[in-house]
Amino acid sequence: MASKPWGGRFEAGTDRRVEEFTESISFDRRLFRHDVLGSQAHARMLAHVGLLTRDECDAIVAGLSEIRARIEAGDFPFVLEREDVHMHIEAALTEKLGDLGRKLHTGRSRNDQVSTDVKLWARDAIDRVDAGLLHLQRAFVRSADRHRGIILPGYTHLQRAQPVLAPHYFLAFVEKLERDRGRLADARKRLNVLPLGAAALAGTSIPIDREFAARELGFDGVAANSLDVSSDRDFAIESVFALTLVAEHLAGWAEEWILWSTQEFGFLALPDAICTGSSIMPQKKNPDVLELIRGRSARVVGSLTTLLVLIKGLPLAYNRDLQEDKLPLFDAFDTVEACVDLAAVVVEGANLRPDRIRERLDEGYLDATTLMEHLILQGVPQRTAHEVIGRLVGLCERQGLKRLADLSDADLAEASPKLGPEARDLLGVEAAIRAFKSYGSTAPAEVEKQLERWKTKLGL
Ligand code: ARG
C-alpha cells in the first residue's frame, strides 16, 4: 500500500474492482493544466511563508511545468492505481524530485485542491462560452443589419399576430444572449473565491497565507468557511444553470428556423454547407445542425439535473459523491460551447427569403390590432374597439376577404362611425409598422435605435 498516498494505515491492497469503480483519472485528467497552476501557486505560497526555500519552490514550479508539458505531448502514463489527476501529478513530481515532491501537499487536501482546480477550469470555460456568445450576438446583429426593410409576420401561439421588422426579430435573440452572458458573469463572480487552504474540512494548523494564493490565482477573495468549501458545488450548478438557459434559448431558436426553412413556411434559405442530405431521398436537404442544437439542449438539462440531485441530502463536508460533479459539468460546457459556435455559423449563412415572406404577408389580419388602437385613440373604450374590429375580421372571413383593406367603406362605417376612409391609411402591414410608437416596439425609428445601440455596444 506504500504506492497510495493514503496507504499508511492499510495492510491489504485495494481490490482491483474498487480501483476501477472509484477512479476519476479517466475524466478528471483534463484538469491537469489547472491542477498544475493551483499547485504552483500553492508552492509559491509555501515559500512565501517560509515552509519551502526559494530553491525548493523553483524546483517544484519547474517540475510541475515539465509534467504539464509531458501531458500535453501525450508522453505521460495514466494508471488506474493513481486514482485521479492530483495524485498522478504529485506522484510524477515526487518521482522527479524525491522528498521535495512529498512536501507539496503541505497544508492542503485533495478536497480543497479539487475544488480549486474545478473552479479554475470553470472560470476559463465561462470565458470561452462568453466569447462564443459575443460572437453569436454579433452574427445576429449583422443579420439584423442585412435584413433591414423586411417585414415579418410576428407570432404568438404560432398564430399570425402583428407585423414586426426583421431586425427587431434578430435583435430579440441578442437580448436573450445578453442576459445569458450576464448570468454567466454573475456565476463567475460568485465562483471566483479561493477554496485552497480550507484543507480537508477544518482548515490547517500550518501557517499558510491564503490571500497570497488567491492573488497568485486571480481569485477576488478567500472562502471564509472551510466546512462550506469542502462541500460546496454551488458554482458548478450555477454555471450549468446559466448554460441550460443558453441551450434552451438556442433550442427555441433552432426550432423556429427549422420551421422557417420548410416548404410550408419558406421564410429562410439555409446554405448547403450547413445542411445534410438523405441516403435514400435524393431531393432532401435537411437542417440537421439546427436539429442537433435543439436535441443537445436535452443533455444540458440532464447535466443540471444530475448536479442538483448529486448534492441533494449530502451532509457536510466533502463526500465522494462530489467526484461525480465533473462529468455533467464538462459535458454541459462542451455541449454549449459547440452549439454556440455552430449557431453562429448558421446565423452567418442563413438568409431570409423576402419574396416568399411578402407573398403571404396579407394573410392573418396582422393590421387588426393597429386598427383597433386607431379607434381607442379616438376615445372608443378598448373592449368596444376590440369587439368592433373582431366583428370586421369575422365579416372578412365570411366574405372570403383576405385583408381588412378589402372591406368596403360602407362596411367600415357601419362597424363604427369612427372608421372613416382615413382609417384605410392604417391598413396593410407597412402602415401598421409605421403606426408603432412605444419604446422597445417594432416602430422603424425604435428598431433603428436598437440596432445602433447594439452595434456600438458590440463594437460593430
Ligand atoms: N478525485 C476526487 C474528487 O474528484 C478528489 C478528492 C478526493 N478526496 C477524498 N477525500 N477522497 O472529488
Side-chain angles (χ1 to χ4, degrees):
M1 287 313 284
S3 69
K4 305 274 188 212
W6 42 257
R9 59 101 67 221
F10 287 80
E11 278 167 22
T14 317
D15 189 312
R16 185 74 183 167
R17 289 164 299 186
V18 171
E19 284 186 330
E20 278 167 8
F21 190 70
T22 55
E23 65 86 21
S24 57
I25 189 59
S26 57
F27 53 87
D28 69 13
R29 63 173 74 176
R30 70 188 284 184
L31 292 173
F32 74 92
R33 284 196 189 85
H34 299 96
D35 193 71
V36 163
L37 213 62
S39 288
Q40 287 176 330
H42 185 66
R44 288 198 186 98
M45 183 278 290
L46 292 175
H48 175 72
V49 300
L51 288 164
L52 289 177
T53 66
R54 258 302 129 210
D55 287 350
E56 285 176 328
C57 173
D58 290 349
I60 288 176
V61 169
L64 288 166
S65 293
E66 192 190 309
I67 291 165
R68 180 180 53 213
R70 275 173 53 206
I71 299 177
E72 277 166 351
D75 172 29
F76 188 92
F78 290 106
V79 292
L80 206 55
E81 304 80 62
R82 281 185 182 164
E83 216 175 299
D84 59 24
V85 66
H86 325 294
M87 305 223 281
H88 271 82
I89 291 177
E90 192 187 319
L93 189 71
T94 300
E95 263 164 34
K96 189 178 160 55
L97 302 179
D99 264 356
L100 178 55
R102 296 168 69 84
K103 284 189 174 182
L104 176 63
H105 212 51
T106 303
R108 76 173 183 188
S109 135
R110 270 187 299 155
N111 297 350
D112 56 341
Q113 185 181 358
V114 70
S115 170
T116 304
D117 291 6
V118 176
K119 279 189 167 187
L120 289 172
W121 184 91
R123 206 171 66 177
D124 284 351
I126 286 174
D127 293 345
R128 279 199 307 275
V129 172
D130 184 67
L133 287 171
L134 171 63
H135 180 65
L136 178 56
Q137 280 184 308
R138 287 182 174 147
F140 272 118
V141 172
R142 278 194 214 98
S143 193
D145 211 15
R146 71 171 183 273
H147 291 104
R148 274 156 112 159
I150 298 177
I151 297 175
L152 286 165
Y155 296 83
T156 61
H157 312 264
L158 209 51
Q159 305 287 326
R160 290 192 166 216
Q162 287 184 283
V164 292
L165 288 172
H168 195 58
Y169 170 83
F170 290 108
L171 294 178
F173 294 107
V174 180
E175 296 282 347
K176 290 180 196 304
L177 298 175
E178 185 69 6
R179 287 195 299 278
D180 289 333
R181 293 180 64 199
R183 265 182 291 273
L184 282 167
D186 282 349
R188 192 191 193 283
K189 227 177 286 161
R190 260 184 300 283
L191 167 154
N192 207 28
V193 175
L194 177 82
L196 202 61
L201 77 163
T204 172
S205 61
I206 310 266
I208 56 174
D209 183 342
R210 299 184 64 205
E211 295 287 349
F212 180 93
R215 281 194 299 277
E216 283 285 305
L217 292 169
F219 284 101
D220 299 323
V222 172
N225 183 305
S226 58
L227 277 170
D228 173 42
V229 168
S230 183
S231 59
D232 172 34
R233 290 298 180 274
D234 294 2
F235 60 92
I237 296 174
E238 219 182 322
S239 324
V240 172
F241 171 69
L243 295 177
T244 305
L245 275 183
V246 175
E248 298 283 20
H249 287 150
L250 294 185
W253 159 77
E255 164 75 8
E256 190 149 85
W257 282 26
I258 289 165
L259 280 173
W260 282 17
S261 61
T262 57
Q263 300 286 321
E264 285 72 8
F265 267 85
F267 286 6
L268 194 71
L270 296 173
D272 283 0
I274 60 156
C275 293
T276 51
S278 154
S279 56
I280 179 168
M281 297 168 285
Q283 87 286 12
K284 293 285 303 240
K285 179 177 160 184
N286 296 326
D288 298 39
V289 171
L290 289 167
E291 293 168 283
L292 285 170
I293 288 175
R294 182 179 58 187
R296 284 193 191 150
S297 64
R299 288 191 20 195
V300 188
V301 175
S303 293
L304 178 62
T305 310
T306 302
L307 285 168
L308 286 169
V309 180
L310 183 67
I311 63 149
K312 179 192 168 294
L314 283 190
L316 295 182
Y318 179 84
N319 293 277
R320 193 62 178 267
D321 312 47
L322 296 179
Q323 178 167 292
E324 297 281 310
D325 63 348
K326 289 162 210 67
L327 288 163
L329 181 76
F330 294 160
D331 194 64
F333 272 104
D334 290 347
T335 304
V336 169
E337 235 186 293
C339 288
V340 169
D341 288 352
L342 264 292
V345 174
V346 175
V347 173
E348 272 156 15
N351 282 307
L352 292 178
R353 301 171 69 190
D355 298 344
R356 291 293 302 270
I357 294 165
R358 188 66 196 90
E359 255 164 44
R360 300 190 51 199
L361 218 42
D362 286 334
E363 291 173 32
Y365 310 102
L366 295 166
D367 47 3
T369 307
T370 318
L371 195 59
M372 176 195 74
E373 288 178 346
H374 171 67
L375 285 180
I376 294 171
L377 287 173
Q378 293 178 79
V380 179
Q382 193 272 344
R383 295 291 178 213
T384 313
H386 188 288
E387 249 175 66
V388 168
I389 307 302
R391 274 200 298 274
L392 284 177
V393 169
L395 187 63
C396 282
E397 295 211 305
R398 282 192 301 281
Q399 296 186 357
L401 304 176
K402 239 170 50 179
R403 313 176 309 160
L404 287 168
D406 297 335
L407 291 165
S408 67
D409 285 346
D411 289 332
L412 292 178
E414 195 180 319
S416 166
K418 305 230 150 125
L419 285 179
E422 80 292 342
R424 293 200 174 275
D425 296 345
L426 291 165
L427 294 178
V429 287
E430 284 82 6
I433 285 283
R434 277 196 303 272
F436 283 101
K437 295 217 163 40
S438 58
Y439 171 79
S441 74
T442 201
E446 286 295 323
V447 173
E448 282 304 312
K449 272 192 254 169
Q450 271 191 69
L451 188 54
E452 279 318 304
R453 186 162 44 78
W454 278 117
K455 279 190 190 168
T456 311
K457 186 162 176 163
L458 303 181
L460 289 172

